[in-house]
């Protein structure tokens, strides 16, 4: 048995064993897909249509019904009708899926835009102190030490601390970029910029329900609305392949 979850670290949907899925959820590395399950049901409907089509085609090919078996072109005609019904049905499901994704996206983005992001004065002060400390290390001490300390701390920060640091993060990046702008080693510059982006991603990895919902909506938007089972059918099934072997039966 498989269970679909949203992987918060990979920012994508994953189908895992139930044990692995629940382990990630307990560790805070994944979450239940919630409302997205309704959209996933459309994929399952498409899978059922595809399976029903394959079974129906096979039944026509193997039938003993003389009205089909003994009449030239009858099998091809029946299969062509089934194919038209399937293609039209899948087309309708794709449109429904697109609509549902758009509705979910609009709702999620609206919730994200209007979520209350209150940050306590204590967290703001703590974030300001840390950024000043690390910025000073960049300017007057070791850039490597500053980056390493930030990387080691951010993994253990709670959501409130991350939110507060996001407000101050540009001060740190400005200091780093100013420090490395004259470096002759382009590979070193790229490496540092990658580390900055990784820190920023971790700061944005906040387990706020509205933000998670928005991330799921964005992930859905990036996916193709097509159905995997239907795509495979068109690539592999003899009734869809444009060129068939001479001995192949339609």
């Amino acid at each position: 048995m498989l269970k679909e979850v949203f992987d918060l670290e990979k920012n994508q949907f994953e189908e895992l064993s139930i044990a692995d899925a629940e382990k990630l959820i307990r560790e805070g590395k994944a979450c239940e897909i919630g409302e997205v399950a309704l959209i996933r049901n459309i994929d399952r409907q498409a899978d059922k249509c595809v399976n029903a089509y394959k079974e129906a085609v096979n039944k026509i090919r193997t039938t003993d019904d003389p009205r089909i078996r003994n009449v030239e072109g009858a099998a091809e005609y029946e299969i062509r009708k089934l194919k038209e019904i399937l293609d039209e049905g899948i087309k309708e499901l794709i449109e429904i899926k697109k609509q549902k994704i758009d509705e979910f996206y609009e709702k999620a983005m609206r919730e994200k835009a209007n979520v209350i992001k209150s940050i306590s004065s204590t967290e703001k002060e703590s974030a300001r102190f840390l950024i000043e400390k690390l910025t000073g290390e960049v300017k007057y001490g070791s850039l490597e030490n500053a980056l390493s300390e930030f990387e080691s701390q951010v993994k253990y920060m709670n959501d409130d601390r991350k939110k507060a640091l996001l407000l101050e993060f540009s001060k740190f990046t400005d200091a780093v970029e100013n420090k490395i702008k004259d470096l002759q080693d382009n590979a070193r510059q790229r490496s540092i910029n990658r580390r900055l982006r990784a820190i920023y991603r971790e700061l944005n990895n906040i387990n706020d329900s509205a933000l998670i919902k928005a991330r799921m909506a964005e992930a859905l938007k990036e996916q193709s609305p097509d159905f995997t089972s239907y795509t495979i059918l068109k690539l592999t099934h003899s009734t869809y392949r444009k060129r068939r072997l001479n001995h192949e039966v339609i």
Side-chain angles (χ1 to χ4, degrees):
M1 291 288 289
L2 297 176
K3 179 173 183 175
E4 187 174 30
V5 295
F6 185 70
D7 190 310
L8 294 168
E9 294 184 336
K10 297 179 181 178
N11 220 50
Q12 64 186 32
F13 297 96
E14 298 274 1
E15 274 199 336
L16 306 169
S17 69
I18 291 177
D20 288 342
E22 291 180 349
K23 181 175 182 289
L24 287 181
I25 291 172
R26 286 195 303 271
E27 293 173 351
K29 296 178 181 178
C31 66
E32 304 279 357
I33 61 174
E35 296 173 57
V36 175
L38 298 175
I39 296 172
R40 290 303 192 217
N41 282 337
I42 302 173
D43 292 84
R44 283 188 278 276
Q45 290 178 45
D47 293 344
K48 289 179 180 178
C49 290
V50 169
N51 290 332
Y53 171 80
K54 289 191 288 188
E55 290 174 6
V57 168
N58 186 60
K59 186 175 180 180
I60 290 171
R61 286 172 170 172
T62 58
T63 186
D64 291 327
D65 187 337
R67 293 171 299 179
I68 295 177
R69 191 173 184 84
N70 299 333
V71 177
E72 185 177 354
E76 289 86 346
Y77 173 75
E78 294 297 330
I79 290 174
R80 190 160 53 248
K81 285 200 301 183
L82 289 175
K83 186 177 175 184
E84 289 172 358
I85 292 170
L86 175 67
D87 291 343
E88 188 60 34
I90 292 295
K91 183 180 177 181
E92 290 178 7
L93 286 176
I94 287 175
E95 290 305 312
I96 293 171
K97 184 178 177 182
K98 285 180 180 177
Q99 180 184 343
K100 295 298 182 184
I101 289 174
D102 287 344
E103 289 174 358
F104 180 73
Y105 182 85
E106 289 298 319
K107 181 180 178 182
M109 291 301 110
R110 190 174 293 108
E111 288 181 15
K112 177 184 176 181
N114 294 288
V115 69
I116 298 174
K117 300 178 182 178
S118 58
I119 304 171
S120 71
S121 57
T122 301
E123 289 294 353
K124 288 180 181 179
E125 187 60 32
S126 297
R128 190 155 40 243
F129 173 79
L130 178 60
I131 291 296
E132 287 179 0
K133 176 178 178 292
L134 295 177
T135 299
E137 183 66 22
V138 170
K139 291 180 178 179
Y140 310 113
S142 166
L143 171 59
E144 179 60 33
N145 287 347
L147 285 169
S148 296
E149 184 175 349
F150 211 146
E151 289 167 335
S152 64
Q153 287 198 39
V154 73
K155 293 184 292 186
Y156 302 102
M157 290 176 181
N158 60 36
D159 291 348
D160 289 339
R161 181 62 53 85
K162 288 180 180 180
K163 290 177 185 178
L165 278 167
L166 279 170
L167 299 177
E168 303 286 334
F169 189 63
S170 61
K171 297 176 183 177
F172 179 74
T173 57
D174 287 346
V176 173
E177 289 169 357
N178 189 59
K179 185 82 171 182
I180 66 174
K181 66 181 181 182
D182 296 324
L183 279 180
Q184 300 301 313
D185 188 345
N186 291 331
R188 171 69 172 154
Q189 283 185 330
R190 289 194 295 272
S191 174
I192 292 171
N193 282 322
R194 281 196 297 271
R195 292 171 73 180
L196 284 174
R197 287 194 292 271
I199 293 171
Y200 181 73
R201 283 196 299 272
E202 186 60 39
L203 288 175
N204 271 289
N205 186 18
I206 296 170
N207 291 323
D208 180 288
S209 59
L211 298 181
I212 291 173
K213 189 173 178 180
R215 286 167 62 185
M216 286 197 288
E218 289 167 341
L220 278 175
K221 270 285 196 179
E222 291 173 2
Q223 295 178 357
S224 168
D226 295 336
F227 305 110
T228 302
S229 59
Y230 182 60
T231 300
I232 293 173
L233 180 80
K234 290 193 293 182
L235 291 172
T236 62
H237 202 268
S238 61
T239 57
Y240 276 88
R241 291 207 296 268
K242 291 181 179 180
R243 294 182 180 180
R244 290 183 288 274
L245 300 176
N246 291 333
H247 65 271
E248 198 169 53
V249 180
I250 297 178

